[in-house]
Amino acid sequence: MDKLKIAGGYPLKGTIRVSGAKNSAVALIPATILADSPVTIEGLPDISDVEILKGLLEEIGGTVQFQDDEMTVDPSSMIPMPLPNGKVKKLRASYYLMGAMLGRFKKAVIGLPGGCYLGPRPIDQHIKGFEALGAQVTNEQGAIYLRADELRGARIYLDVVSVGATINIMLAAVLAKGRTVIENAAKEPEIIDVATLLTNMGAKIKGAGTDIIRIDGVEKLSGCRHTIIPDRIEAGTFMILAAAVGEGVLVDNVIPQHLESLIAKLREMGVSIETRDDQVFVSPGSKLKAVDIKTLVYPGFATDLQQPITAFLTRAEGSSVVTDTIYGARFKHIDELRRMNANIKVEGRSAIINGPVQLQGAKVKASDLRAGAALVVAGLMAEGITEITGVDHIDRGYSQLVDKLSGLGATIWREKLSSEEIEQLKSL
Ligand code: EPU
């Protein structure tokens, strides 16, 4: 177990490259289960969620080769092995194994997913979709059992706009008989990416990226090669830290259209942003203004960037209100930012940030992935040394973060936790 140390207060300069999208990767990898021959995915991020999914595909009999950023999965000898425990509990996205295994084998047993705690995260809309397609779904001792004699296309209206449910229903429906229509579907770019892979495998999907997706079931899906989209949340995190401590930072391998809501807010704060085809150049503003932010489904402001931008807003002049409409409890980073001298209070679903303050280095703990990103931004802004534990959360979603930030001139390094520190963390 490691901790992350940052000597803050130094300006960053240069180019930083964004990796492939975590939230696409964790759906694309399970989607390979649906093919009858090898599928290659290029540009995968070097994160622990990808490693865990690779292990899960191997557990069910897949042959997986993963070198550099390219993974080839041969799904031909996979079997519907029950996965009630173990690795599935380590990440949220293991729920995509439900849709993919149900689609291919008409049965699956998957333990209820783990991942970041951000308040209650039900999967009722996924289950509603599977049932509409003809599956029987039961929850037995913490695992979801799915069985169907056959899957038949259906019209499914999502009561909540959900990325996970939209993708999971697509995975289950591509091999079903007849037409499936998902209404009130989520529109995130990761959904388009998964639909593109499935289409290249032979699926018939129309409307991904809009709120109505139509899927005409096909008999079989075959192998193909697919390049993943860049990670808009990693890119957004880099843009925020470039705005906070940069002296001119080029964020490379970005689709700027995926980040319009962040770009608008940073500009409103006084940050100068220049967008190019697949790059964004960020220069710091001279006087930063407070802004109000409300997280919304795409293309609104991403909840995954709420935590990192909260850290940056401590630098802005005035009072900013950040409201998370997606998750009710995504504010665990606030106590840690307070330890670093931030003036923030939480009222219901909103954080009220009063600035500007100079953050001070402190010992803090990442409670979840994006809380970790917020603490890295704060550590880079702070005077003195910041020590972050809970680094395993950060490793789930940020590829080679220390190397990438060091490349911009940041003083950031990993150290092993002492046995006393490990004991202390366990007792918290
Ligand atoms: N919801 C329900 N019922 C459901 C599904 C969702 O009530 O059946 C609610 C959730 O509780 C939440 C809202 O709907 O309040 C949105 O949840 P969604 O299903 O869209 O989230 P998700 O698919 O579980 C993905 C990302 C999250 C990201 C959200 C929102 C993955 C693996 N995770 O989660 O990413 O915050 O969409 O954009 O794609 C992260 O990367 O740090 C992260 C948490």
Side-chain angles (χ1 to χ4, degrees):
M1 252 200 249
D2 288 351
K3 62 186 167 192
L4 211 50
K5 282 184 137 180
I6 301 171
Y10 298 104
L12 306 187
K13 206 171 181 165
T15 301
I16 189 162
R17 190 172 164 80
V18 174
S19 299
K22 163 190 167 273
N23 288 343
S24 271
V26 295
L28 296 172
I29 296 169
T32 63
I33 294 173
L34 291 158
D36 62 3
S37 50
V39 180
T40 298
I41 306 169
E42 287 171 18
L44 286 170
D46 176 13
I47 53 174
S48 57
D49 274 12
V50 164
E51 279 298 331
I52 295 169
L53 281 168
K54 170 180 180 280
L56 283 164
L57 294 195
E58 287 167 339
E59 268 184 50
I60 62 169
T63 308
V64 187
Q65 283 165 354
F66 187 26
Q67 214 180 357
D68 301 327
D69 63 356
E70 189 169 302
M71 184 182 286
T72 298
V73 181
D74 183 349
S76 48
S77 48
M78 286 180 178
I79 52 166
M81 173 95 97
L83 298 168
N85 287 306
K87 290 195 184 85
V88 284
K89 307 256 179 196
K90 289 197 169 166
L91 78 165
R92 178 91 188 141
S94 51
Y95 53 40
Y96 291 132
L97 295 168
M98 296 180 195
M101 288 176 79
L102 181 66
R104 170 154 170 201
F105 302 112
K106 310 292 173 272
K107 61 177 172 184
V109 177
I110 308 292
L112 277 166
C116 296
Y117 182 78
L118 312 172
R121 298 177 76 181
I123 56 165
D124 55 301
Q125 299 302 306
H126 305 228
I127 290 169
K128 170 179 165 174
F130 298 146
E131 286 178 336
L133 294 171
Q136 277 188 324
V137 186
T138 53
N139 179 348
E140 294 170 32
Q141 293 171 336
I144 302 290
Y145 285 66
L146 305 117
R147 307 172 192 89
D149 294 330
E150 66 167 10
L151 295 172
R152 286 201 164 270
R155 183 171 282 269
I156 301 156
Y157 178 87
L158 295 180
D159 303 316
V160 182
V161 180
S162 160
V163 177
T166 303
I167 292 179
N168 234 341
I169 295 168
M170 278 200 313
L171 295 174
V174 280
L175 290 174
K177 289 207 166 72
R179 171 170 284 199
T180 298
V181 181
I182 310 174
E183 293 176 321
N184 203 27
K187 296 184 272 199
E188 270 69 0
E190 292 75 20
I191 292 163
I192 303 176
D193 203 21
V194 177
T196 305
L197 169 72
L198 293 169
T199 304
N200 290 340
M201 283 162 66
K204 292 202 159 61
I205 304 175
K206 286 198 186 122
T210 75
D211 59 5
I212 299 188
I213 302 179
R214 291 186 179 81
I215 302 155
D216 285 309
V218 294
E219 287 285 313
K220 68 172 194 128
L221 297 172
S222 303
C224 67
R225 176 172 275 274
H226 177 80
T227 304
I228 194 169
I229 56 169
D231 194 312
R232 64 195 167 94
I233 307 301
E234 188 195 22
T237 306
F238 293 160
M239 286 162 60
I240 290 168
L241 63 87
V245 287
E247 271 187 351
V249 171
L250 185 67
V251 185
D252 183 34
N253 192 32
V254 186
I255 298 176
Q257 291 77 3
H258 290 172
L259 285 149
E260 274 171 3
S261 51
L262 173 68
I263 291 171
K265 279 295 160 189
L266 290 176
R267 284 186 175 144
E268 202 179 315
M269 287 179 72
V271 177
S272 157
I273 308 243
E274 187 194 317
T275 59
R276 304 177 186 167
D277 283 351
D278 61 351
Q279 296 176 323
V280 174
F281 188 74
V282 183
S283 327
S286 50
K287 194 161 183 240
L288 294 169
K289 281 189 296 215
V291 294
D292 293 341
I293 293 174
K294 197 180 261 189
T295 69
L296 293 167
V297 293
Y298 187 84
F301 194 95
T303 169
D304 299 340
L305 290 171
Q306 175 266 107
Q307 291 158 296
I309 205 162
T310 304
F312 177 40
L313 283 169
T314 60
R315 172 76 49 89
E317 174 95 44
S319 189
S320 304
V321 181
V322 175
T323 305
D324 200 320
T325 71
I326 310 290
Y327 295 114
R330 208 172 195 174
F331 284 122
K332 292 225 183 72
H333 57 302
I334 301 291
D335 280 344
E336 306 305 297
L337 291 175
R338 281 206 201 106
R339 276 182 222 282
M340 299 178 72
N341 195 39
N343 179 354
I344 309 180
K345 64 180 175 186
V346 176
E347 281 179 10
R349 283 177 169 254
S350 298
I352 300 148
I353 305 127
N354 291 305
V357 296
Q358 172 60 55
L359 296 178
Q360 304 293 333
K363 289 188 179 185
V364 288
K365 182 167 183 261
S367 54
D368 56 81
L369 169 58
R370 308 300 172 188
L375 296 177
V376 170
V377 172
L380 293 167
M381 290 163 69
E383 261 173 5
I385 306 274
T386 296
E387 206 175 294
I388 306 173
T389 51
V391 177
D392 49 321
H393 289 295
I394 301 174
D395 292 340
R396 288 193 36 234
Y398 288 90
S399 188
Q400 297 165 349
L401 187 65
V402 168
D403 288 350
K404 287 188 184 186
L405 295 180
S406 301
L408 288 182
T411 308
I412 177 168
W413 68 101
R414 295 175 83 111
E415 278 180 15
K416 288 261 167 268
L417 285 173
S418 67
S419 44
E420 283 144 41
E421 285 172 320
I422 293 174
E423 284 313 310
Q424 263 175 18
L425 277 177
K426 281 186 189 154
S427 66
L428 286 178

